[in-house]
Amino acid sequence: WNNFALTPSISKFVYNIQEVESSELLPIPKFLGFACGFIFVYGSKIGLYHSIFLPLIMLEMDSSTGKNAASLLGAIDECVLVMVCAGICLGNLMTGCGNSSLSWQALKTNILCGDFIEACYPSMDRSRVINASAYLAAGLSTEIIAYKRILSSAYFPLPLSILISNDRVGMTFASLMAFTISLVGTLLSNKLDALRKRKGD
């Protein structure tokens, strides 16, 4: 990991973003952020979060001079995993689907602590609509983060994640996008399921 982090192109692309002049930053191709959102969601579902994503986030934070705990990958973590899960859990609570106790606990934990992303996986596995909305929410929010090079972090209450960001307006917009799209997708899916059950009865 140390050798990987010390690679000049990687350092300029992600790790030393807080210390490098904007003119020296490598350009981020369009839709690369969108692809990263997909990778984060899929990777976390198959167990790559703690083995790959979290170490990368820690390395990025460690490369800064210690001004704050914000990082590019940390902002992606907050939006793609935490806010998407929060949106799905709220959607389940609003429609009375799934395990309400789990959804309520996960919603509170994600908003107040930023770390209970696994709670939405059963809903994503159950519904193609919820799964698609989660990936769409992840992709669009990450595209915003990558384009604007927004820094932040998960493992904080949502207001604090926005407060420590280098672009509070951008971080708020990306968080709302991730949350809203996953929420709407969950509401739509659960309502459609309810209608199908009524017709079946």
Side-chain angles (χ1 to χ4, degrees):
W1 283 120
N2 287 334
N3 292 335
F4 179 71
L6 291 174
T7 304
S9 60
I10 295 296
S11 296
K12 283 192 175 184
F13 189 69
V14 175
Y15 295 108
N16 292 327
I17 189 173
Q18 298 175 66
E19 285 72 49
V20 178
E21 296 294 330
S22 59
S23 60
E24 297 177 335
L25 289 168
L26 292 177
I28 298 179
K30 287 184 178 180
F31 305 115
L32 179 60
F34 199 92
C36 286
F38 271 59
I39 292 169
F40 252 73
V41 173
Y42 179 74
S44 67
K45 289 185 72 176
I46 63 173
L48 298 182
Y49 180 79
H50 291 96
S51 60
I52 295 179
F53 300 151
L54 187 58
L56 288 175
I57 294 169
M58 294 298 103
L59 282 170
E60 184 187 357
M61 289 180 175
D62 189 55
S63 71
S64 71
T65 56
K67 294 177 182 178
N68 55 44
S71 72
L72 183 67
L73 295 176
I76 294 174
D77 186 2
E78 174 68 15
C79 290
V80 168
L81 301 180
V82 175
M83 295 310 299
V84 166
C85 181
I88 292 173
C89 290
L90 179 59
N92 285 334
L93 285 171
M94 291 174 66
T95 53
C97 293
N99 186 323
S100 59
S101 177
L102 175 63
S103 294
W104 176 238
Q105 185 61 42
L107 178 62
K108 290 190 297 182
T109 304
N110 281 313
I111 297 298
L112 300 177
C113 302
D115 180 31
F116 194 2
I117 61 174
E118 298 84 1
C120 67
Y121 295 159
S123 297
M124 292 175 66
D125 292 337
R126 170 178 58 83
S127 168
R128 291 181 180 179
V129 175
I130 294 176
N131 194 55
S133 69
Y135 277 97
L136 179 63
L140 290 176
S141 61
T142 306
E143 184 69 16
I144 294 170
I145 291 169
Y147 176 74
K148 303 192 76 175
R149 288 185 165 89
I150 297 171
L151 309 178
S152 185
S153 179
Y155 302 101
F156 289 113
L158 178 60
L160 186 55
S161 292
I162 294 171
L163 184 64
I164 67 171
S165 176
N166 64 322
D167 184 346
R168 293 172 184 169
V169 174
M171 185 62 189
T172 300
F173 182 64
S175 298
L176 281 175
M177 177 168 287
F179 181 81
T180 303
I181 292 175
S182 59
L183 170 62
V184 171
T186 304
L187 291 173
L188 177 61
S189 175
N190 292 344
K191 290 293 185 182
L192 289 174
D193 287 345
L195 287 174
R196 291 193 195 101
K197 289 180 180 179
R198 288 177 186 174
K199 288 182 180 180
D201 295 338

